[in-house]
Amino acid sequence: EAREAAYRRICKMRPKKSAYLPTCEYKDWTGEDNRSVPSKAGEFFEIRCRNKYKEPLSCTVSGWSKGFVAGHPSNSATDPVGAVEDFRFACVERKYPAACTHLGDMYAAGVGVEQDGTKAKELYEEACKANDTYGCYRKGHLYLKGLGVELNQLKAFRLFEKGCQEDHMQACVDLADLY
């Protein structure tokens, strides 16, 4: 009930000229408990990604639903290649930093594309330049693993430290692991 009230409150704050706010259509992508249902959300946001609004956040959510399992890129996801296409559209065509980061994740893991650490680094750097904390943090993993870059624990440490200072919880966990 509180979640539904929050969705309605957000919807009421929508600027009058804004024709699109997915929160206002929450019943189309949530279950009876008003929590997101991945399959419903994927379908809902896929339509809004390219066909209806060409909205980059919708492409990112659609990409997650197609290419990620339990929060990580996975070739056992429903449509990894489609996920790459959604992330690429939002990153390249719409200049959405979060999509660049998740596209970088796909390249780093070799999911839906050939593994390419150099391409992942380029995408993470693009997102990082646009102040996407997650993109900066993910670049640290490339240095930690030596994927597409020279292995450098100090650079990884600094990137995790920066992410932690910006309240990215997993960056803090990974930073602690390096001590």
Side-chain angles (χ1 to χ4, degrees):
E1 180 134 333
R3 186 181 304 271
E4 185 173 2
Y7 287 145
R8 278 188 262 141
R9 188 172 54 251
I10 292 167
C11 189
K12 286 179 184 177
M13 294 186 302
R14 172 176 59 179
K16 300 248 186 282
K17 291 182 181 180
S18 176
Y20 173 66
L21 189 61
T23 305
C24 299
E25 300 173 48
Y26 68 93
K27 295 256 185 220
D28 291 338
W29 52 271
T30 61
E32 289 181 22
D33 61 356
N34 294 317
R35 292 188 180 276
S36 178
V37 174
S39 59
K40 286 176 72 175
E43 291 172 15
F44 175 86
F45 288 103
E46 181 177 29
I47 291 167
R48 283 143 186 85
C49 171
R50 305 225 195 135
N51 302 341
K52 196 167 184 181
Y53 298 105
K54 300 189 184 323
E55 205 279 319
L57 175 59
S58 292
C59 294
T60 303
V61 175
S62 178
W64 288 331
S65 74
K66 293 175 184 177
F68 279 57
V69 173
H72 301 283
S74 175
N75 281 315
S76 65
T78 59
D79 183 8
V81 173
V84 168
E85 291 171 6
D86 287 349
F87 291 140
R88 186 174 287 131
F89 176 79
C91 175
V92 176
E93 300 297 321
R94 307 301 284 182
K95 309 293 185 220
Y96 190 61
C100 297
T101 297
H102 294 295
L103 182 57
D105 288 343
M106 301 298 275
Y107 275 99
V111 172
V113 291
E114 285 290 320
Q115 187 177 38
D116 186 341
T118 302
K119 182 67 175 171
K121 180 180 180 250
E122 290 170 9
L123 290 159
Y124 292 151
E125 285 178 343
E126 186 174 332
C128 193
K129 285 178 191 171
N131 297 316
D132 183 73
T133 300
Y134 184 64
C136 300
Y137 155 73
R138 291 298 298 157
K139 189 168 76 167
H141 277 276
L142 298 178
Y143 285 105
L144 188 63
K145 297 173 184 174
L147 182 61
V149 296
E150 188 173 320
L151 183 73
N152 188 325
Q153 285 193 332
L154 181 59
K155 282 187 179 183
F157 180 91
R158 297 277 184 247
L159 289 163
F160 294 167
E161 184 176 50
K162 183 177 188 289
C164 185
Q165 289 169 349
E166 294 177 10
D167 297 327
H168 190 285
M169 189 183 319
Q170 190 59 48
C172 297
V173 170
D174 292 344
L175 176 64
D177 287 344
L178 289 179
Y179 277 101

